[in-house]
Amino acid sequence: MRAVIAVLSGALFGAGLHISGMTDTAKVRGFLDIAGSWDPTLAFVMGGAMLPMIVAWRLTTNRKPVTGDAFPPPPSAEISRPLIVGSLLFGVGWGLVGLCPGPALASLSYGGWQGVLFLAAMLGGMWAVPPIRRALDSRRAAA
């Protein structure tokens, strides 16, 4: 049951990304180009995603999920160094390529070799960050 719900949710998410234009790198770069020919439509997509999530967080309080033990806790409101660095890296990658992880996966079905290259680079970065972070944390602790 859990796998069926995951596949259906993923398919719905991917279809939503495609229909909304989030997998179109030119549209995303147009949204990020505030000084040029700015395309504000993705702001509505993001707002349309945040509003149901706000409701979902409110509705899950004191409830149990159908296929799991518990809902995850709300994210921390703390603005930490890793959050800032991660946000900067995410923003730079999004601005350079016009894709973030969700749309990158959704675009694999039609993105050609560029989508595969982006996914490989993204996975390589995700693999490299934990050892780099451990090394930086150990240096900071030793100092």
Side-chain angles (χ1 to χ4, degrees):
M1 176 65 143
R2 188 176 179 140
V4 171
I5 292 172
V7 168
L8 291 175
S9 299
L12 180 63
F13 181 67
L17 289 172
H18 180 70
I19 291 167
S20 67
M22 290 290 283
T23 57
D24 180 359
T25 58
K27 188 172 190 76
V28 172
R29 285 193 303 269
F31 170 71
L32 297 172
D33 187 10
I34 297 170
S37 56
W38 185 55
D39 180 1
T41 56
L42 291 186
F44 295 106
V45 172
M46 287 185 250
M50 289 189 293
L51 291 174
M53 197 63 226
I54 291 168
V55 172
W57 278 115
R58 298 286 185 222
L59 292 177
T60 58
T61 305
N62 299 322
R63 291 191 175 185
K64 187 178 181 318
V66 175
T67 62
D69 296 330
F71 288 108
S76 171
E78 176 189 1
I79 298 176
S80 63
R81 184 177 181 173
L83 175 67
I84 292 169
V85 171
S87 298
L88 287 170
L89 290 173
F90 177 89
V92 167
W94 196 37
L96 287 173
V97 181
L99 287 174
C100 60
L105 289 173
S107 68
L108 280 179
S109 62
Y110 63 86
W113 66 270
Q114 296 95 336
V116 175
L117 179 63
F118 176 80
L119 183 67
M122 181 181 73
L123 292 174
M126 293 167 75
W127 172 80
V129 165
I132 292 169
R133 184 167 180 192
R134 280 192 298 273
L136 292 173
D137 288 345
S138 66
R139 283 187 187 161
R140 190 176 313 125

